[in-house]
């Protein structure tokens, strides 16, 4: 039996087990999202909806060139327009105070990206100047009136050419080179397969484009209202760009309209704040969709060369790889993405000899940055394609070759780090393998079947082939390579309700709902309010890599347990027993012997209790010069089976079904987990078949939601959850693992494997184009 304070005990009842009219309660229940109703009603507050008295509007002038020298900037015409209140360029930015950090410690990698271009532009769409005016149309007209004389330079757009190209930045063209050396370099397998793979530029394409409001403060500081996913990091970066102390900048988090990657960047934040400070009035800025594509980072395009060695039984002997990531014009998190790509270059498989060289380089392409599974998605596509090649050459079933090499708890990774968390890779494969397959059209000839190409497609049904493919992948959770992960939370209880103060931004992952469930489980209080996040609260860090479930959830749990102790201690003293002999369940406090039974609301009457706590997972270390080290806190795994129909004459592909088995540690909210998996699968299908932010000569050619193709309801397949394996990670908060990133990592590889099975063609790039799936 679990102890009263053990949150790893039995789960809460499911919705089907609840009494009529009862709402799901506590951890393990499928409690509805706290923000579901206001979003459904259209009253959820986003930054684009904000207003202030005396509001001005901001607009940005962006470079039309991917690489150019700025000869001169003439702002006279813009300033002469009626209604224009300010025009700023790089010359108007204050110097950074001596000793002030250029980027927050928990920020987005290197701070090599200027707020506004100074002297040179390094990518198409880079901000050059900004305007504040009393109407948005006036602001845009004024920005267009700024005359900039450019001297175009030859753009470096091929990452392979970046090594020998002239430096594009004072920091050089190489963001990072990471060699990984493990085992015997002379080892050779009986069977060798090679492959060259390419992954395109996927954009996060948030439903809501970047927007924000800046309000000047009487003390000379500024208050920013943004859909930030890292309020303290963004505050510190903004303060550094403005030359202010961090305590003079306050960042208030508004609703986040989509964030599977970083959102408003430092340039947006500092420019908006400086316009407000310069005019002394509130300034609002909303980007157009084209500007949104130009401004935020996207997934790293990648070129991957692999050579796999195996014995006659299909066991891996050696893996050799060269991985090249195109980081674009600025560093962002390229070093972090490269670490994941190199460390997970073999995937969830055991291989005694691994030799990898990985590079992230600077080009004049749009900057790449953080996006679900950065680094891991690119390598997953490559190593899973290699496994399919090995299986075909050896005549082994694709599932069987994966089983024979499956990683398990205790096995070493190529980095030398032992896998200490649960690694149920074989069980995940078994779960997807035994799940029923979707019916074929011949099995139900009376039904109307959606064929590749959509309704009314021009293809011949006789040309349609069905393919089944499998893939397994892995991602790390939390920060890596020595990054300090910490979060702080306060829980306050008054009467019959509780308040959680923790600036862990709910960017769609459901943290607000989870925090509510934690407090319900620990304190037995049904009414739990989650305070809006802002930078005046203690830091919780960025919303990325599943960290808030672990770190911020852990902080909320610890604070709630401290309040619980405050509540139970006087009751236990009155009855002459220890606190450990009291439990809270179903809104009641009971003793171990059943003598005491008291409603929690009665015990809380007239009391106000509160506590603040932190959670900091165990430390990690940087990878050394051979790519060795304990760099990751924990790892999550996922297996998928993709079923596709391919018109082999047109090359059209329809994903019929995706079957998922996932290592979740513990299902804290089963319905929410299923929702996150379905969303991640849709994103993975997008990069597999549709999504590619294309450039020509460094210029974006499809920066719109008509040119950049996102999956629609007809493109998104049925998602079957074969298993949520709850093998709890003993060092993780509640034993739970992150769930959103790893399905997005695995889905593209599974779809590619299925297309390969349907066509018999090698599939070596993402997205898969019609010519890649056309036979004959």
């Amino acid at each position: 039996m679990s102890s009263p304070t053990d949150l790893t005990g039995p789960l809460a009842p499911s919705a089907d087990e609840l009494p009529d009219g009862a709402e799901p309660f506590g951890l393990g229940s499928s409690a509805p999202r706290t923000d579901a109703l206001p979003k459904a009603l259209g009253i959820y507050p986003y930054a684009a909806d904000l207003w202030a008295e005396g509001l001005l509007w901001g607009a940005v002038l962006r470079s039309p060139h991917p690489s150019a020298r700025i000869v001169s900037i003439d702002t006279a015409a813009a300033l002469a327009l009626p209604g224009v209140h300010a025009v700023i360029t790089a010359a108007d930015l204050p110097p950074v105070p001596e000793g002030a950090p250029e980027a927050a410690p928990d920020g987005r990698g290197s701070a090599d990206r200027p707020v506004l271009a100074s002297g040179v532009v390094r990518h198409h769409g880079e901000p050059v100047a900004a305007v504040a005016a009393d109407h948005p149309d006036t602001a845009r007209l004024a920005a267009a009136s700024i005359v900039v004389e450019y001297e175009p330079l030859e753009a470096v757009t091929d990452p392979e050419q970046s090594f020998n190209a002239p430096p594009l930045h004072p920091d050089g063209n190489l963001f990072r080179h990471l060699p990984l050396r493990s085992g015997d370099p002379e080892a050779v397998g009986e069977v060798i397969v090679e492959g060259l793979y390419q992954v395109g530029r996927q954009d996060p394409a948030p439903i809501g484009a970047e927007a924000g409001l800046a309000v000047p403060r009487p003390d000379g500081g500024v208050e920013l209202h943004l859909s930030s996913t890292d309020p303290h990091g963004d505050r510190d970066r903004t303060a550094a760009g403005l030359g202010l102390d961090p305590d003079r900048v306050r960042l208030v988090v508004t609703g986040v309209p989509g964030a599977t990657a970083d959102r408003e960047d430092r340039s947006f934040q500092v420019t908006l704040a400086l316009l407000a400070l310069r005019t002394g009035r509130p300034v609002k800025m909303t980007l157009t969709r084209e500007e949104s594509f130009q401004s935020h980072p996207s997934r790293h395009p990648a070129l991957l060369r692999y050579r796999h060695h195996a014995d006659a039984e299909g066991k891996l002997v050696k893996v050799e790889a060269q991985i090249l990531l195109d980081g674009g014009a600025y560093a962002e998190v390229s070093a972090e993405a490269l670490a994941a790509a190199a460390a997970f270059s073999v995937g969830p498989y055991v291989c005694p000899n691994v030799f990898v060289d990985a590079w992230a380089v600077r080009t004049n392409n749009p900057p790449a940055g953080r996006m679900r599974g950065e680094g891991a998605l690119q390598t997953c596509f490559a190593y899973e394609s290699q496994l399919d090649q090995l299986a075909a050459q050896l005549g082994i079933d694709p599932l069987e070759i994966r089983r024979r090499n499956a990683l398990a708890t205790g096995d070493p990774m190529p980095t030398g780090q032992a896998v200490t968390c649960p690694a149920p890779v074989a069980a995940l494969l078994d779960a997807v393998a035994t799940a029923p397959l979707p019916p074929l059209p011949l099995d139900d000839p009376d039904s109307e079947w959606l064929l590749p190409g959509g309704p009314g497609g021009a293809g011949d049904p006789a040309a349609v082939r069905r393919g089944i493919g499998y893939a397994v992948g892995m991602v790390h959770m939390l920060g890596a390579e020595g990054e300090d992960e910490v979060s702080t939370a306060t829980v306050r209880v008054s009467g019959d309700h509780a308040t959680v103060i923790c600036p862990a931004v709910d960017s769609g992952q459901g943290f607000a709902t989870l925090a509510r469930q934690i407090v319900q489980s620990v304190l037995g209080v049904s009414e739990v309010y989650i305070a809006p996040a802002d930078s005046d609260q203690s830091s919780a860090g960025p919303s990325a890599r599943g960290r808030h479930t672990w770190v911020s959830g852990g902080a909320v749990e610890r604070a709630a347990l401290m309040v619980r102790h405050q509540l139970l201690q006087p009751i236990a003293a009155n009855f002459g027993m220890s606190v450990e002999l009291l439990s809270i369940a179903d809104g009641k406090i009971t003793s171990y012997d059943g003598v005491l039974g008291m409603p929690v609301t009665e015990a809380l009457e007239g009391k106000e209790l509160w506590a603040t706590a932190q959670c900091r997972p165990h430390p990690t270390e940087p990878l050394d010069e051979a790519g060795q080290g304990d760099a990751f806190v924990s790892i999550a795994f996922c297996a998928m089976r993709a079923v596709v129909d391919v018109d082999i004459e047109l090359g059209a592909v329809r994903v019929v079904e995706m079957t998922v088995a996932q290592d979740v540690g513990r299902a804290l909210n089963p319905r929410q987990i299923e929702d996150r998996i379905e969303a991640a699968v849709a994103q993975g299908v997008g990069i597999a078949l549709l999504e590619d932010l294309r450039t020509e000569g460094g210029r974006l050619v499809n920066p719109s939601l008509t040119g950049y193709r996102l999956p629609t309801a007809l493109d998104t397949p049925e998602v079957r959850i074969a298993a949520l394996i709850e093998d709890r990670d003993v060092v993780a908060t509640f034993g739970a693992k992150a769930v959103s990133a790893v399905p997005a990592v695995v889905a593209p590889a599974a779809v590619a494997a299925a297309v390969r099975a349907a066509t018999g063609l090698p599939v070596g790039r993402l997205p898969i184009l019609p010519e890649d799936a056309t036979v004959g």
Side-chain angles (χ1 to χ4, degrees), residues 10 138 170 182 220-221 226 257 262 301 308 369 439-440 447 453 457 479 542 622 635 745-746:
T138 305
S182 175
L226 298 167
D262 289 329
H308 274 56
L440 289 162
S447 296
I635 300 168
V745 164
V746 179

Side-chain angles (χ1 to χ4, degrees), residues 182-233:
S182 175
D184 179 9
E186 303 302 322
V188 178
E190 297 174 64
V191 179
I192 301 174
V193 297
E194 298 185 1
L196 175 64
Y197 305 98
Q198 292 177 286
V199 178
R201 180 179 288 104
Q202 185 183 28
D203 193 88
I207 296 301
E210 290 80 352
L213 172 68
V215 182
R217 302 196 323 192
D219 65 355
V222 65
E223 182 170 290
L224 286 164
H225 298 257
L226 298 167
S227 53
S228 168
T229 57
D230 181 14
H232 289 82

Side-chain angles (χ1 to χ4, degrees), residues 462-485:
V464 175
R465 303 289 185 270
R466 175 156 290 187
I468 301 171
Y470 297 90
V472 197
M474 59 200 292
V475 298
H476 72 93
M477 296 181 291
L478 284 65
E481 294 196 275
E483 185 172 342
D484 183 27
E485 291 283 12

Side-chain angles (χ1 to χ4, degrees), residues 33-52 55 57 206-214 224-229 252-259 263-264 268 272 283-287 289 505-509 532:
R33 290 180 57 94
T34 57
D35 56 0
L37 184 60
K39 285 182 176 178
L41 294 175
I43 59 174
Y44 196 71
Y46 296 105
D49 303 319
L50 298 180
W51 193 263
L55 183 71
W57 292 83
I207 296 301
E210 290 80 352
L213 172 68
L224 286 164
H225 298 257
L226 298 167
S227 53
S228 168
T229 57
V252 179
V253 179
T254 63
V256 180
R263 283 190 56 89
E264 286 76 1
F268 181 95
L272 182 64
V283 177
K284 179 177 177 178
M285 195 183 302
T286 57
L287 299 190
R289 181 58 60 178
V505 177
D506 192 334
S507 58
Q509 82 278 33

Side-chain angles (χ1 to χ4, degrees), residues 77-101:
L79 287 168
L81 285 175
V84 172
H85 291 258
V87 178
I88 59 172
T89 66
D92 298 296
L93 292 168
V96 177
E98 186 175 350

Side-chain angles (χ1 to χ4, degrees), residues 57 120 168 173 185 319 340 376 428 462 471 501 597 648 723 742 761:
W57 292 83
V120 64
L168 304 177
N173 292 352
V319 172
L428 295 171
I501 303 171
I648 61 173
V742 67
L761 298 173

